[in-house]
């Protein structure tokens, strides 16, 4: 290692194209913030390493960032499927293909710098360094090598095409912490620090893992590849495996340790930023499985009106269609969608949302047109049947195909948008199968371990490109919104889609992710905190969940009612407050329709005493709307995370937070910050009336501003933190603390 650092240092100060005095001045200025005049502009357009049959390209990309692409036998085309914005929103690079001005051969040496990140190639091994304010350098990570180890860039080619399986290894410290990696499935994983885990890169219900992670050493790494595979966060080595690829493509960016907002700002500048949602969707969203006819929706709207309870969105769940793939209401039960939407709006002011699935059955009016035009995904070994549901075998609309996206949107517009229903719920579109980790969805034999369907899309195979399938569903809705209205919706949305799955870059759509079909348990309520902050650490703050959990909550029991209220109290402080679930109760299903659960899930469904509490929490959400809107505006401008794990703001000022995060201590990882000023510590136990909350030590900067922790409900001041405090936690008072002025928070005027 010392030899590598010495070699790197000698190259860092020997760029032949720059006079020594100019080089020294640039090194001193290297620690400035992005956009400052002293920003160290890239000293090279790129490096090409020709390593026998392997080619590696390294280029500056975005602020303090580098992009690395590698392939075998031939150069990357530069047109591989990518979630990166080219050029990026901010910073250098982009629109230059595989341009480079340095070429090195087998075991060659070279160095390139962009801002405060430096890449050194020494004997063909790639290392990444951060330039510190004093001009020194810190090793972030390097390709993993050992006396006896597989090459850090390893390829296996056993496909009939030019694609291959890749395995890329990077060195990590035993005590290094890794955050992000997307959303792991319900319900056992309570981790924020992913060190020691293996993360499967495959999409299914609740499992939306993403090939991106942040390190507590001060870097973020993203594999810009829609391949299935896995990430192994080992003790000494982090390994990314892609099941199929034609090029390996990754991005890395650096910031000071603990400055996770800077990493997110730089990352979202190259993958896209969340457009600001419309005001209405920041309120209370009402949904259940399921309202199964128009009369129920109208009665629901009337009840909200009569009870004087605010509601912003009313949702119609699945099987409102006649056949899967119709993408329209069954007129037997929904005779006047336009009149229904207008009445809901008149009674409540709420918008409506409708569910769409990607599945297509043979009886649908759209089956023959989509099959004849090649708009359905196929399979490697047959006609495209990839799963089943409700007694029929199904295919998938191939939303990766631009023509299929156009066809889908036309049906959605004709059936819903033109009738005043402007928001869409993308469900089951996880890709490969119909949304689950198994085949034969909905059948009694679903547990037979069949191989997943070998689905093939316009853009490639499930193994090589399947992670992006739900992303293209989001794009279909976004393209429809933009083309129909003629508006630029890159920064501000009028309407939204809700999705169960996504890929990196999905945050640049008018869309929000939810955590899928979770179980209704107190421990799962707490697990959803670690899920939400991990998704946020992966660049996606536009996130929510099923308040109450999806399945297992009985509205007739005291335990079920208490669980719902506890979950709802947490939902007040999430980016979106959304109630949904498949409830249990003493009522019998309605025999007239499939999946016609008659059990209630409305604010007044959980007992009179709880209804008073629920109304209080809904009212609080509307009080907080200016603050939530401000957080989304910050997110749009800078990528600043909304749902924040404690390590974001306190890992440098509080060793207990740093150590607790490393150990995934529930005391730390079951609390979160809503933006910069509100700490939330949800209750995750049945029957308790108090809770211990850890108040982190505030930074010197926060203390210099006079900020202290204040209990939301009693206004008691608890000082600058560093201690566990016990507070009363009745059902109507979730433990919440705030910093600064509550009036400023409620006014959204920090």
């Amino acid at each position: 290692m010392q030899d590598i650092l010495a070699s790197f240092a000698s190259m860092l100060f020997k760029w032949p194209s720059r006079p020594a005095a100019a080089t020294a001045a640039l090194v001193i200025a290297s620690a400035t913030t992005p956009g400052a005049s002293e920003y160290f502009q890239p000293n090279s357009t790129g490096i090409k390493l020709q390593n026998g049959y392997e080619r590696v390209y390294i280029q500056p990309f975005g602020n303090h960032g580098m992009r690395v692409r590698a392939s075998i036998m031939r150069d990357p085309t530069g047109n591989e499927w990518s979630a990166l914005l080219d050029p990026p929103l901010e910073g250098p690079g982009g629109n230059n293909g595989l341009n480079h001005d340095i070429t090195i051969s087998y075991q060659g040496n070279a160095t390139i710098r962009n801002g405060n990140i430096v890449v050194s190639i020494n004997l063909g091994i790639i290392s990444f360094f951060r330039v510190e304010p004093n001009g020194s350098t810190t090793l972030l990570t390097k390709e993993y090598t050992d006396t006896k180890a597989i090459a850090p860039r390893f390829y296996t080619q056993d496909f009939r095409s030019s694609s291959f399986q890749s395995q890329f290894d990077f060195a990590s410290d035993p005590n290094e912490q890794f955050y992000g990696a997307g959303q792991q499935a319900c319900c056992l994983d309570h981790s924020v620090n992913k060190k020691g885990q293996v993360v499967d890169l495959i999409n299914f219900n609740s499992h939306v893992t993403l090939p991106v992670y942040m390190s507590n050493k001060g870097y973020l790494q993203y594999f810009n590849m829609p391949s299935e595979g896995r990430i192994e966060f080992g003790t000494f080595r982090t390994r990314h495996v892609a099941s199929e690829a034609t090029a390996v493509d990754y991005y890395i960016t650096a910031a000071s340790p603990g400055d996770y907002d800077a990493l997110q700002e730089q990352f979202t500048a190259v993958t896209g930023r969340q457009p600001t949602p419309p005001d209405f969707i920041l309120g209370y969203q009402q949904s259940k499985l399921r309202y199964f006819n128009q009369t129920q929706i109208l009665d629901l709207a009337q009840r909200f009106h009569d009870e004087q309870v605010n509601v912003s969105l009313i949702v119609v769940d699945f099987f409102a269609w006649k056949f899967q793939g119709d993408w329209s209401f069954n007129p037997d039960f929904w005779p006047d969608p336009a009149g229904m939407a207008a009445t809901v709006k008149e009674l409540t002011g709420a918008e409506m949302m409708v569910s769409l699935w990607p599945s297509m059955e043979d009886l649908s009016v759209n089956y023959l047109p989509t099959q004849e035009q090649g708009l359905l995904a196929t399979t490697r070994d047959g006609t495209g049947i990839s799963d089943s549901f409700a007694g029929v075998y199904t295919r998938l609309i191939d939303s990766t195909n631009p023509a299929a996206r156009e066809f889908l949107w036309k049906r959605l517009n004709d059936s819903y948008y033109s009738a005043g229903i402007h928001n869409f719920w993308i469900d089951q579109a996880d890709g490969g199968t119909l949304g689950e980790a198994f085949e034969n969805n909905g059948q009694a034999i679903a547990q037979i371990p069949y191989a997943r369907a070998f689905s093939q899309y316009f853009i490639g195979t499930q193994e090589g490109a399947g992670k992006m399938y739900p992303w293209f569903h989001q794009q279909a809705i976004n393209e429809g919104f933009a083309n129909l209205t003629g508006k630029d919706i890159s920064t501000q949305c009028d309407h939204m889609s809700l999705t169960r799955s996504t890929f990196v870059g999905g945050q640049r759509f008018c869309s929000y992710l939810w955590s899928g079909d979770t179980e209704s348990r107190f421990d799962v309520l707490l697990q959803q905190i670690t899920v939400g902050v991990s998704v946020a650490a992966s660049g996606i703050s536009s996130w929510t969940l099923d308040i109450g959990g999806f399945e297992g909550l009985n509205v007739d029991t005291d335990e079920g009612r208490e669980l719902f209220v506890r979950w709802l109290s947490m939902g007040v402080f999430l980016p979106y407050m959304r109630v949904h679930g498949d409830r249990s109760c003493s009522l019998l299903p309605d025999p007239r329709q499939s999946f016609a659960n008659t059990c209630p899930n409305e604010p007044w469904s959980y007992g009179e005493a709880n209804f008073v509490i629920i109304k209080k929490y809904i009212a609080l959400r509307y009080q907080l709307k200016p603050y939530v809107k401000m957080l989304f505006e910050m997110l749009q401008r800078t990528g600043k995370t909304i749902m924040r794990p404690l390590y974001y703001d306190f890992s440098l000022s509080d060793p207990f937070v740093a150590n607790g995060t490393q150990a995934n201590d529930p005391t730390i990882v079951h609390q979160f910050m809503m933006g910069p000023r509100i700490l939330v510590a949800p209750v995750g136990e049945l029957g308790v009336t108090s809770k211990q909350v850890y108040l982190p030590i505030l930074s010197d900067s926060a203390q210099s501003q006079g900020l202290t922790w204040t209990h939301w409900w009693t206004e008691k001041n608890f000082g600058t933190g560093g201690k566990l405090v016990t507070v009363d936690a009745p059902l109507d008072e979730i433990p919440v603390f705030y910093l600064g002025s509550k009036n400023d928070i409620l006014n959204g005027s920090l």
Side-chain angles (χ1 to χ4, degrees), residues 81-328:
W81 292 104
S82 168
L84 292 174
L85 296 173
D86 193 0
L89 296 175
E90 299 161 3
N95 275 345
N96 59 358
L98 299 174
N99 285 354
H100 59 283
D101 53 19
I102 300 173
T103 300
I104 59 175
S105 59
Y106 172 70
Q107 290 201 328
N109 301 324
T111 302
I112 184 173
R113 179 177 175 186
N114 175 24
N116 68 9
I117 193 169
V118 176
V119 179
S120 170
I121 304 177
N122 185 274
L123 300 178
I125 299 300
I126 303 172
S127 302
F128 299 91
F129 297 83
R130 180 180 55 244
V131 181
E132 305 296 356
N134 64 3
S136 65
T137 57
T138 300
L139 178 67
L140 299 173
T141 188
K142 62 183 286 292
E143 292 179 330
Y144 178 83
T145 57
D146 201 349
T147 305
K148 302 293 183 183
I150 292 174
R153 302 188 302 273
F154 190 76
Y155 312 87
T156 303
Q157 188 167 19
D158 57 3
F159 298 96
R160 295 179 181 178
S161 68
S162 59
S163 57
F164 50 81
Q165 182 185 87
S166 65
Q167 176 179 295
F168 273 44
D169 293 350
F170 297 87
S172 66
D173 297 335
N175 292 324
E176 190 170 356
Q177 299 176 40
F178 293 105
Y179 318 121
Q183 173 181 291
Q184 290 181 260
C186 175
C187 297
L188 298 177
D189 178 28
H190 287 251
S191 69
V192 169
N193 175 20
K194 305 301 179 181
K195 185 73 167 182
Q197 293 194 14
V198 175
V199 176
D200 292 322
L201 297 174
I202 186 170
N203 298 337
F204 52 84
N205 190 347
S206 295
H207 195 75
V208 192
T209 48
L210 301 171
V212 56
Y213 47 85
M214 297 192 296
S215 165
N216 66 328
K217 292 178 65 175
Y219 67 92
L220 176 150
Q221 190 166 15
Y222 159 53
F223 284 84
N224 182 40
M225 304 163 67
S227 314
E228 294 184 340
R230 66 185 183 276
I231 301 175
E232 303 170 4
F233 293 107
T235 303
F236 300 103
R237 173 174 54 194
T238 300
R239 170 176 289 172
H240 176 271
V241 177
S243 297
E244 183 186 347
T246 55
V248 175
D249 184 355
Y250 68 88
Y251 159 86
I252 187 168
T253 188
S256 299
D259 194 351
Y260 301 103
D261 284 324
L263 291 177
Q264 289 296 320
E265 182 172 12
Q266 290 151 209
F267 178 54
T268 56
V270 302
T271 57
R273 298 218 171 107
Q274 179 70 44
T276 304
D279 284 357
F280 76 85
I281 212 160
L282 303 182
Y284 173 79
Q285 302 178 25
Q286 177 64 44
S287 181
K288 78 163 191 173
L289 190 161
R290 72 185 177 91
Y291 301 111
F292 54 86
N293 62 37
Q294 181 172 313
T295 300
Q296 287 189 330
I297 292 293
L298 296 177
D299 290 346
L300 176 70
Q302 186 67 56
R303 183 74 183 268
F304 269 104
H305 173 272
D306 294 346
E307 297 285 358
Q308 297 184 336
V309 176
N310 279 323
V311 61
S312 294
L313 186 71
I314 291 177
V315 183
V316 177
D317 200 355
F318 73 153
F319 276 77
W321 49 76
K322 189 172 184 179
F323 299 111
Q324 295 177 72
D326 283 352
W327 301 308
S328 63

Side-chain angles (χ1 to χ4, degrees), residues 43 128 325 338 405 429 498 645 674:
N43 63 304
F128 299 91
R405 294 198 298 274
L498 171 68
M674 182 198 192

Side-chain angles (χ1 to χ4, degrees), residues 75 104 249 421 502 504 554 686:
D75 284 344
I104 59 175
D249 184 355
I421 301 173
T502 188
V504 170
N554 191 318
L686 176 67

